[in-house]
Amino acid sequence: MDTKKLGDNDEEPKVFLRRFWGLVPSVGLIVGVVIGTGIFVSPTGILRGVSGSVGLAFVVWVVCAVLALLGGLCYTELAASFTKSGGEFTYLLEAFGPIPAYLRVWTLFVILSPADMAIQSLTVANYLTTPLVGDCIDAPYWSVRCTALCVFCLIIFINCVSVRLSSHLLVILTVAKTVGLCIIIITGFVLLAQGKTANFHQPFKVEEFDFKLLPSAFYAGIFAYSGWDNITCITEEIKKPEKTIAKAMVLSLLGVTVIYLLSNIAYLTVMTPNEILGSSAVAADFAEKSLGKMSWIIWIFVALSAAGSLNGGAFSRGRIFFVASREGYLPEIISMVHIKWKTPLPAMALSLPITVGMLLTGSIWELLTFSTFVDTAFIVLTLFTLPYLRWTRPERELPFRRLSGWPPRCLGSSFTSLVSDGKHSHVS
């Protein structure tokens, strides 16, 4: 944050958002949000969607990675064209006017942001409390809720008092979750070198393929890669956004894809496809089978992974509310910046009451099912802004001219996710 004079005759300085984020923090934001809980639960949903075929499961992982990269590059062009923060809110406002933008920010405020933060907070709490009480019994209901509430309030507090601290925390948690996944990968490949290859024989063999379940595989895969759009919410705080966002998007999603593929190979060295299908937390079951008494290490890293996703999501979505208030779609007080801390404190705290209510009353799966459809619908609409703007504003300078054929493909994939049946996905 910094201050700037309003004009020659103005005595009051204006407080505004400073360009603090370079390439490394931007990569940390994308990786930190994308690698949340998806890689630890989505393998079950993908494998179920392809009727237990190991080979087809890897195909789905790669296809979803390509779709995420294409979607990310489309958002990169929009970010380079409209150098305001706010992400989807800004793009919908520029392309279609106030009504879609208004609906986006209010659904984000009432449903999506609170539900997402509640999911991540509850995930952190579950993985922190379960090792303390043992595997035989569930952690007490209120101990999980109170732990989740403490985690959530701590993350919000950090984001309210310091942009630098929240960005450093994001990088630290990103490194921590990567280390956790590296432990899984190394363990799996050691076992693979010892001859644990039975699950890779005839990878495309399947007794009976159910095409009705296939959309749910992409539903789970897209969920695992979701979060790449958060970087466009802080465009005004990124140094040279027209270059930095593109580099961060490509580096992050390529790195995430490699980690996801290697992690799935590791899972399959220890667990059979049927065991994965019957698991609600693949990483935890993998750790119990391969690490024994040291399995608590993976539980801690999963908690840190969810905490990183919570921190990145809270940071970026607060900027959407900040921009929406500045444009007049939320009360003016939301666009104010704290004079001492130089953070958009009202915007960061906006969703706090609703999130606390969801933390105390909802379950993870209810919240996930509740929010996914609405979020995907707005992603589809946002992707449509790119061909629409090419058609209606041909004079607009295009940062990436080779993206012209990509939005329709992303729209098709997102529509597949949108119409898929949530009860067959990884959340079932």
Side-chain angles (χ1 to χ4, degrees), residues 176-190 263 266 286-287 290-291 294 297-298 301:
K177 67 177 66 181
T178 305
V179 170
L181 286 168
C182 285
I183 292 175
I184 292 175
I185 292 168
I186 292 172
T187 302
F189 273 78
V190 168
S263 298
F286 171 89
S290 59
L291 300 178
M294 298 299 292
I297 296 176
I298 299 301
F301 278 117

Side-chain angles (χ1 to χ4, degrees), residues 84-100:
K84 297 180 181 178
S85 294
E88 293 157 357
F89 167 79
T90 298
Y91 310 145
L92 292 173
L93 180 63
E94 292 286 346
F96 302 128
I99 294 179

Side-chain angles (χ1 to χ4, degrees), residues 15-26:
V15 182
F16 63 96
L17 298 174
R18 182 169 59 90
R19 294 192 183 275
F20 172 77
W21 289 66
L23 180 59
V24 174
S26 298

Side-chain angles (χ1 to χ4, degrees), residues 191-248:
L191 295 173
L192 191 67
Q194 295 174 354
K196 302 287 186 179
T197 60
N199 295 326
F200 298 99
H201 297 160
Q202 297 180 317
F204 291 95
K205 182 181 179 180
V206 59
E207 294 181 1
E208 183 179 357
F209 191 85
D210 189 348
F211 284 95
K212 294 180 180 179
L213 296 178
L214 185 59
S216 68
F218 288 95
Y219 184 99
I222 291 173
F223 169 75
Y225 286 102
S226 63
W228 45 263
D229 57 313
N230 281 259
I231 189 66
T232 61
C233 299
I234 61 168
T235 303
E236 294 175 29
E237 299 174 70
I238 298 176
K239 302 173 183 177
K240 299 180 180 178
E242 65 282 355
K243 295 181 179 180
T244 302
I245 293 178
K247 293 177 182 178

Side-chain angles (χ1 to χ4, degrees), residues 65-86:
V66 172
L67 294 175
L69 181 59
L70 296 181
L73 291 175
C74 291
Y75 270 54
T76 297
E77 177 172 330
L78 290 169
S81 300
F82 308 108
T83 55
K84 297 180 181 178
S85 294

